[in-house]
Amino acid sequence: MTSFELVEPRSLEETFALLDRDDPAVRPIAGGTALMLMMKSGLFSPLRLISLRRVEPRLAGIAFADGSVRIGAMTTFAALEHSPEIRRHLPVVTRTMRTLANPRVRNVATVGGNLAHADTHLDLPLVWIALGAQAVVVSPRGERIVAVEDLYRGYYETVLHHDELIAALHVPLRPTWRSVYVKVTTRTAHDWPALGIAVSLARDGSIIRDARIAVGAATKKATRLIQAETVLRGAAIDAAAVDDALLARAGDAAIGEISIEADSRGSASYKQHLLRVYLGRAVRAAAAAEPGA
Ligand SMILES: Cc1cc2nc3c(=O)[nH]c(=O)nc-3n(C[C@H](O)[C@H](O)[C@H](O)COP(=O)(O)OP(=O)(O)OC[C@H]3O[C@@H](n4cnc5c(N)ncnc54)[C@H](O)[C@@H]3O)c2cc1C
């Protein structure tokens, strides 16, 4: 590993002065769990790392107000996992945390670092997309809001400029929606997924009023399945047995709207099969879940 500078600014203003819009070798570091692996494997050689650890309090904390929750970018996975309010209002997040990494990683990895890393195999971005979350992005030019589904350009690529930071995530609270995340691993339960899929549904009795679906690990980036959502929207269902034909149409739509990528966890055709099967299972589970799940 080549030598680099590590700085620990105390304010956002100081942080902006240290970032460089034109130089990708100057980077923020949060928990360091992804960045250190990239550095050790020679994929990334920084000139300067800017630790966000002391840039408090704007980047930290979980706060509920006006029908949404603001999760600071420096919130650790462990804080998210153990928050009683998150468990009450966004139980799908608490459930997902249990499938993710291990306690040592969860103690330091952060919500902002996870979003910005842009690895399609990560679990939480899919859940945030299904929940309709938005990233609050700050820079010397001010603040902009980016829906999580619009944050990604490609594998390890976001729409963020090098002098922009994710300050927080805004997640709307939708007590009548029902959400499910399914992580499909082909080796151990804690392995990287061959497919990740998150589904959020709003039902009016036996009608699906609205749907949001996100897929990852089989695509270059975390991707919202707009066409599959359209198939589901307005469909009549029986929660106990969602119609096979409806799920087949949603599966066809999903496969038609994305490019499925092979990796070491499976070929493209295998992942296509996984998508059909697990989209159906996730929709069935969400339809049968309690409101607010
Ligand atoms: C052993 C192991 C197992 C894992 N298992 C899983 C798993 O099962 N599921 C899963 O989803 N993930 C898993 N992870 C990945 C983990 O989720 C990521 O490493 C982590 O989310 C990155 O967060 P971090 O705070 O450590 O980011 P860092 O490593 O500090 O940074 C990652 C990237 O984000 C940028 N960045 C950091 N913070 C910000 C910010 N606020 N604004 C803009 N850019 C920022 C950095 O410059 C860097 O490019 C695992 C990691 C390890 C090491």
Side-chain angles (χ1 to χ4, degrees):
M1 217 186 282
T2 52
S3 63
F4 59 89
E5 182 189 9
L6 177 66
V7 282
E8 286 201 322
R10 303 277 175 151
S11 68
L12 267 184
E13 290 64 33
E14 229 185 301
T15 310
F16 293 148
L18 290 160
L19 288 167
D20 187 331
R21 187 180 165 106
D22 301 317
D23 192 347
V26 175
R27 285 256 193 120
I29 180 165
T33 59
L35 217 44
M36 293 309 289
L37 287 181
M38 292 178 82
M39 287 161 62
K40 280 186 187 163
S41 62
L43 273 176
F44 174 59
S45 301
L47 274 180
R48 180 191 296 152
L49 290 182
I50 302 156
S51 169
L52 302 180
R53 202 167 293 193
R54 294 183 193 279
V55 186
E56 305 252 0
R58 270 184 69 186
L59 299 190
I62 300 174
F64 288 80
D66 303 327
S68 71
V69 55
R70 179 193 183 280
I71 302 171
M74 288 301 285
T75 304
T76 62
F77 285 2
L80 202 59
E81 179 184 4
H82 298 299
S83 160
E85 287 83 13
I86 293 288
R87 186 174 309 122
R88 187 172 329 125
H89 296 288
L90 299 171
V92 65
V93 174
T94 311
R95 291 195 301 271
T96 300
M97 298 312 297
R98 297 192 191 116
T99 72
L100 205 150
N102 56 56
R104 275 190 310 152
V105 171
R106 295 203 294 268
N107 279 337
V108 286
T110 66
V111 168
N114 181 257
L115 272 177
H117 188 44
D119 182 337
T120 178
H121 297 90
L122 300 183
D123 305 284
L124 274 180
L126 305 179
V127 176
W128 300 134
I129 292 172
L131 291 175
Q134 297 177 317
V136 180
V137 176
V138 293
S139 75
R141 295 170 297 287
E143 184 178 296
R144 66 183 178 120
I145 304 293
V146 183
V148 175
E149 65 259 36
D150 297 330
L151 198 55
Y152 302 110
R153 209 190 286 283
Y155 201 69
Y156 288 135
E157 265 190 289
T158 67
V159 299
L160 298 179
H161 296 294
H162 297 307
D163 63 350
E164 286 187 312
L165 291 176
I166 296 172
L169 193 65
H170 272 165
V171 191
L173 299 181
R174 302 174 306 181
T176 59
W177 286 61
R178 306 136 198 266
S179 304
V180 165
Y181 175 66
V182 182
K183 176 174 186 161
V184 186
T185 58
T186 48
R187 298 172 193 170
T188 64
H190 286 84
D191 189 18
W192 289 106
L195 179 91
I197 187 158
V199 172
S200 242
L201 296 181
R203 269 178 50 196
D204 274 341
S206 61
I207 302 292
I208 298 179
R209 177 168 47 80
D210 208 348
R212 290 181 66 96
I213 308 172
V215 68
T219 44
K220 276 204 174 74
K221 57 178 186 164
T223 304
R224 195 171 156 199
L225 297 177
I226 305 275
Q227 301 302 327
E229 291 173 5
T230 305
V231 169
L232 294 179
R233 210 168 281 126
I237 54 162
D238 170 353
V242 180
D243 187 16
D244 283 342
L246 173 67
L247 295 178
R249 283 204 310 283
D252 287 344
I255 284 159
E257 68 182 299
I258 55 172
S259 167
I260 298 194
E261 307 281 325
D263 65 12
S264 60
R265 267 102 191 148
S267 66
S269 58
Y270 173 62
K271 290 189 181 220
Q272 203 173 80
H273 180 68
L274 289 182
L275 177 56
R276 277 186 196 284
V277 171
Y278 284 93
L279 174 63
R281 289 187 187 175
V283 170
R284 281 208 164 102
E290 293 295 318

